[in-house]
Amino acid sequence: MKRNALGHTGLEVSALSFGASALGGVFRHVDEAEAIATVHAALDAGITYFDVAPAYGGGRSETVLGKALKGIDRSRYVLSTKVGKYTDPDHYGHDTLDYSAARIRASLDESAARLGTDYFDIIHIHDVEYQGRSHLDQALTEGFETLLALKLEGRIGSVSFGIYPMDLWHRIFAELPVDAALVHNHYCLNDTRSTSLLPKAREKGIGIINASPFASGLLTERGPADWHVAGPEDRAVFRAAADYCARSGTSISQLAFQFSTGHPEIATTMFSTASRSSLERCLSWFGTPADSELVAGVQAILAPVAGKDWG
């Protein structure tokens, strides 16, 4: 699989990257052996970048990924995790936010133990917009400064954020010397706003990681999980787009994946699965350009929800 430079980080990442949220049962029940086999299949397919977070499954995603990567030569993969957001493993959505230096350092130690490593190529400050942005100032100051210190200490390679709101992305790109940016749900069929970050990314050498090609499940035949905030009217719009694709002889998932992975200036697109069959399906779609006429038809249907904020 093709590898691309991730901005000026010095890292080369595979054009497809593996988001490990699914490994912790964030979306549905997961068979651990199947999840581990899926990670191994991704490595065999040439995927070299794996991302996770302590918030995913309350640490379960990190634990399963750590089991999968045990014994794999560390030079074979790029690894990132996140800090600042911690989720009750038994109650999805019950989050604690803490961007203090002490908690970030403790979190890094906990993640390192679960993942079996003493070094992370990238650390993302996670979901600073949650809880009404009440922790934003701490994240952008103490939290960010702590990661810069950890980088100087050699414990991490690159400093990044993993957040949703576009206004915060523009602020971060303008004000902070980030190395990378994990931008989710903003380069997909219904939302291409991350392209507005590309000029500043080129100027500053920031590597953009494009996540959620399926728009958190909205651009799939199954539809999003119950916890997704999209209401019935908006969900109906996405179902209409899926039906249009089906009548055209393809699936909304395939079109969404091919569209999201097709931007020449985006180093890598991240998707999540705990299923080998799902991984193989995505790999079979990858590299084939999206049908431009079908994209235009789908985007016309999605016009009422284009660029809509779900956060």
mmCIF file of all heavy atoms in Angstrom, residues 247-268:
data_model
loop_
_atom_site.group_PDB
_atom_site.id
_atom_site.type_symbol
_atom_site.label_atom_id
_atom_site.label_comp_id
_atom_site.label_asym_id
_atom_site.label_seq_id
_atom_site.Cartn_x
_atom_site.Cartn_y
_atom_site.Cartn_z
ATOM 1 N N ARG A 247 -30.191 1.742 -6.105
ATOM 2 C CA ARG A 247 -30.845 1.707 -7.416
ATOM 3 C C ARG A 247 -29.828 1.860 -8.544
ATOM 4 O O ARG A 247 -30.074 1.427 -9.676
ATOM 5 C CB ARG A 247 -31.901 2.816 -7.513
ATOM 6 C CG ARG A 247 -33.113 2.586 -6.617
ATOM 7 C CD ARG A 247 -34.261 3.516 -7.005
ATOM 8 N NE ARG A 247 -33.907 4.921 -6.927
ATOM 9 C CZ ARG A 247 -34.022 5.664 -5.830
ATOM 10 N NH1 ARG A 247 -34.474 5.122 -4.696
ATOM 11 N NH2 ARG A 247 -33.691 6.949 -5.846
ATOM 12 N N SER A 248 -28.688 2.481 -8.236
ATOM 13 C CA SER A 248 -27.641 2.686 -9.240
ATOM 14 C C SER A 248 -26.662 1.517 -9.302
ATOM 15 O O SER A 248 -25.674 1.572 -10.035
ATOM 16 C CB SER A 248 -26.874 3.983 -8.938
ATOM 17 O OG SER A 248 -27.754 5.098 -8.937
ATOM 18 N N GLY A 249 -26.910 0.500 -8.482
ATOM 19 C CA GLY A 249 -26.091 -0.702 -8.541
ATOM 20 C C GLY A 249 -24.867 -0.697 -7.660
ATOM 21 O O GLY A 249 -23.964 -1.522 -7.857
ATOM 22 N N THR A 250 -24.801 0.202 -6.684
ATOM 23 C CA THR A 250 -23.674 0.216 -5.759
ATOM 24 C C THR A 250 -24.216 0.467 -4.355
ATOM 25 O O THR A 250 -25.423 0.504 -4.131
ATOM 26 C CB THR A 250 -22.649 1.291 -6.163
ATOM 27 O OG1 THR A 250 -21.452 1.120 -5.378
ATOM 28 C CG2 THR A 250 -23.175 2.694 -5.963
ATOM 29 N N SER A 251 -23.326 0.615 -3.404
ATOM 30 C CA SER A 251 -23.738 0.885 -2.029
ATOM 31 C C SER A 251 -23.252 2.255 -1.600
ATOM 32 O O SER A 251 -22.221 2.738 -2.079
ATOM 33 C CB SER A 251 -23.181 -0.178 -1.076
ATOM 34 O OG SER A 251 -21.771 -0.053 -0.955
ATOM 35 N N ILE A 252 -23.993 2.871 -0.693
ATOM 36 C CA ILE A 252 -23.580 4.172 -0.161
ATOM 37 C C ILE A 252 -22.240 4.031 0.572
ATOM 38 O O ILE A 252 -21.387 4.925 0.514
ATOM 39 C CB ILE A 252 -24.661 4.759 0.769
ATOM 40 C CG1 ILE A 252 -24.340 6.205 1.152
ATOM 41 C CG2 ILE A 252 -24.853 3.898 2.013
ATOM 42 C CD1 ILE A 252 -24.535 7.202 0.062
ATOM 43 N N SER A 253 -22.006 2.875 1.204
ATOM 44 C CA SER A 253 -20.738 2.658 1.904
ATOM 45 C C SER A 253 -19.563 2.682 0.938
ATOM 46 O O SER A 253 -18.537 3.318 1.195
ATOM 47 C CB SER A 253 -20.761 1.318 2.641
ATOM 48 O OG SER A 253 -21.769 1.277 3.612
ATOM 49 N N GLN A 254 -19.712 1.984 -0.173
ATOM 50 C CA GLN A 254 -18.633 1.941 -1.156
ATOM 51 C C GLN A 254 -18.353 3.328 -1.710
ATOM 52 O O GLN A 254 -17.189 3.750 -1.793
ATOM 53 C CB GLN A 254 -18.988 0.986 -2.293
ATOM 54 C CG GLN A 254 -17.935 0.945 -3.392
ATOM 55 C CD GLN A 254 -18.245 -0.069 -4.469
ATOM 56 O OE1 GLN A 254 -19.049 -0.965 -4.273
ATOM 57 N NE2 GLN A 254 -17.607 0.067 -5.629
ATOM 58 N N LEU A 255 -19.395 4.029 -2.093
ATOM 59 C CA LEU A 255 -19.196 5.364 -2.656
ATOM 60 C C LEU A 255 -18.564 6.290 -1.628
ATOM 61 O O LEU A 255 -17.656 7.071 -1.947
ATOM 62 C CB LEU A 255 -20.534 5.936 -3.131
ATOM 63 C CG LEU A 255 -20.420 7.251 -3.911
ATOM 64 C CD1 LEU A 255 -19.830 7.002 -5.293
ATOM 65 C CD2 LEU A 255 -21.791 7.934 -4.039
ATOM 66 N N ALA A 256 -19.043 6.224 -0.390
ATOM 67 C CA ALA A 256 -18.505 7.083 0.666
ATOM 68 C C ALA A 256 -17.023 6.815 0.889
ATOM 69 O O ALA A 256 -16.214 7.744 1.026
ATOM 70 C CB ALA A 256 -19.284 6.862 1.963
ATOM 71 N N PHE A 257 -16.649 5.541 0.911
ATOM 72 C CA PHE A 257 -15.254 5.184 1.148
ATOM 73 C C PHE A 257 -14.364 5.633 0.002
ATOM 74 O O PHE A 257 -13.291 6.210 0.217
ATOM 75 C CB PHE A 257 -15.146 3.670 1.342
ATOM 76 C CG PHE A 257 -13.842 3.228 1.914
ATOM 77 C CD1 PHE A 257 -13.592 3.324 3.273
ATOM 78 C CD2 PHE A 257 -12.849 2.699 1.095
ATOM 79 C CE1 PHE A 257 -12.372 2.911 3.805
ATOM 80 C CE2 PHE A 257 -11.638 2.286 1.619
ATOM 81 C CZ PHE A 257 -11.402 2.388 2.980
ATOM 82 N N GLN A 258 -14.804 5.414 -1.217
ATOM 83 C CA GLN A 258 -13.999 5.810 -2.367
ATOM 84 C C GLN A 258 -13.881 7.323 -2.476
ATOM 85 O O GLN A 258 -12.823 7.841 -2.864
ATOM 86 C CB GLN A 258 -14.599 5.197 -3.632
ATOM 87 C CG GLN A 258 -14.420 3.691 -3.693
ATOM 88 C CD GLN A 258 -15.160 3.034 -4.835
ATOM 89 O OE1 GLN A 258 -16.132 3.581 -5.359
ATOM 90 N NE2 GLN A 258 -14.718 1.857 -5.229
ATOM 91 N N PHE A 259 -14.931 8.036 -2.125
ATOM 92 C CA PHE A 259 -14.861 9.496 -2.146
ATOM 93 C C PHE A 259 -13.889 9.997 -1.078
ATOM 94 O O PHE A 259 -13.002 10.810 -1.347
ATOM 95 C CB PHE A 259 -16.242 10.098 -1.909
ATOM 96 C CG PHE A 259 -16.240 11.600 -1.817
ATOM 97 C CD1 PHE A 259 -16.253 12.375 -2.963
ATOM 98 C CD2 PHE A 259 -16.199 12.233 -0.575
ATOM 99 C CE1 PHE A 259 -16.235 13.769 -2.883
ATOM 100 C CE2 PHE A 259 -16.179 13.621 -0.485
ATOM 101 C CZ PHE A 259 -16.191 14.387 -1.640
ATOM 102 N N SER A 260 -14.046 9.508 0.144
ATOM 103 C CA SER A 260 -13.274 10.029 1.263
ATOM 104 C C SER A 260 -11.788 9.716 1.148
ATOM 105 O O SER A 260 -10.951 10.465 1.655
ATOM 106 C CB SER A 260 -13.829 9.464 2.572
ATOM 107 O OG SER A 260 -13.293 10.121 3.692
ATOM 108 N N THR A 261 -11.444 8.623 0.479
ATOM 109 C CA THR A 261 -10.035 8.238 0.346
ATOM 110 C C THR A 261 -9.389 8.799 -0.914
ATOM 111 O O THR A 261 -8.231 8.471 -1.202
ATOM 112 C CB THR A 261 -9.898 6.698 0.329
ATOM 113 O OG1 THR A 261 -10.697 6.163 -0.742
ATOM 114 C CG2 THR A 261 -10.362 6.097 1.640
ATOM 115 N N GLY A 262 -10.108 9.654 -1.632
ATOM 116 C CA GLY A 262 -9.627 10.072 -2.936
ATOM 117 C C GLY A 262 -8.974 11.428 -3.024
ATOM 118 O O GLY A 262 -8.561 11.842 -4.116
ATOM 119 N N HIS A 263 -8.825 12.138 -1.896
ATOM 120 C CA HIS A 263 -8.243 13.486 -1.982
ATOM 121 C C HIS A 263 -6.725 13.411 -2.050
ATOM 122 O O HIS A 263 -6.083 12.832 -1.160
ATOM 123 C CB HIS A 263 -8.671 14.339 -0.786
ATOM 124 C CG HIS A 263 -8.474 15.806 -1.029
ATOM 125 N ND1 HIS A 263 -7.217 16.383 -1.131
ATOM 126 C CD2 HIS A 263 -9.369 16.805 -1.210
ATOM 127 C CE1 HIS A 263 -7.355 17.681 -1.350
ATOM 128 N NE2 HIS A 263 -8.648 17.960 -1.414
ATOM 129 N N PRO A 264 -6.093 14.009 -3.057
ATOM 130 C CA PRO A 264 -4.645 13.848 -3.242
ATOM 131 C C PRO A 264 -3.792 14.532 -2.183
ATOM 132 O O PRO A 264 -2.619 14.197 -2.033
ATOM 133 C CB PRO A 264 -4.400 14.464 -4.629
ATOM 134 C CG PRO A 264 -5.524 15.431 -4.835
ATOM 135 C CD PRO A 264 -6.712 14.806 -4.157
ATOM 136 N N GLU A 265 -4.350 15.492 -1.449
ATOM 137 C CA GLU A 265 -3.556 16.215 -0.457
ATOM 138 C C GLU A 265 -3.725 15.673 0.959
ATOM 139 O O GLU A 265 -3.105 16.189 1.889
ATOM 140 C CB GLU A 265 -3.923 17.705 -0.475
ATOM 141 C CG GLU A 265 -3.432 18.452 -1.690
ATOM 142 C CD GLU A 265 -3.569 19.948 -1.506
ATOM 143 O OE1 GLU A 265 -2.857 20.528 -0.674
ATOM 144 O OE2 GLU A 265 -4.417 20.549 -2.191
ATOM 145 N N ILE A 266 -4.533 14.662 1.136
ATOM 146 C CA ILE A 266 -4.739 14.084 2.460
ATOM 147 C C ILE A 266 -3.900 12.814 2.567
ATOM 148 O O ILE A 266 -4.050 11.888 1.778
ATOM 149 C CB ILE A 266 -6.232 13.799 2.705
ATOM 150 C CG1 ILE A 266 -6.992 15.134 2.773
ATOM 151 C CG2 ILE A 266 -6.423 13.012 3.992
ATOM 152 C CD1 ILE A 266 -8.499 14.988 2.893
ATOM 153 N N ALA A 267 -3.008 12.791 3.555
ATOM 154 C CA ALA A 267 -2.012 11.715 3.644
ATOM 155 C C ALA A 267 -2.641 10.360 3.925
ATOM 156 O O ALA A 267 -2.201 9.342 3.377
ATOM 157 C CB ALA A 267 -0.986 12.048 4.725
ATOM 158 N N THR A 268 -3.654 10.325 4.779
ATOM 159 C CA THR A 268 -4.229 9.046 5.178
ATOM 160 C C THR A 268 -5.683 9.224 5.581
ATOM 161 O O THR A 268 -6.072 10.268 6.098
ATOM 162 C CB THR A 268 -3.425 8.417 6.335
ATOM 163 O OG1 THR A 268 -3.915 7.097 6.603
ATOM 164 C CG2 THR A 268 -3.500 9.250 7.598
#
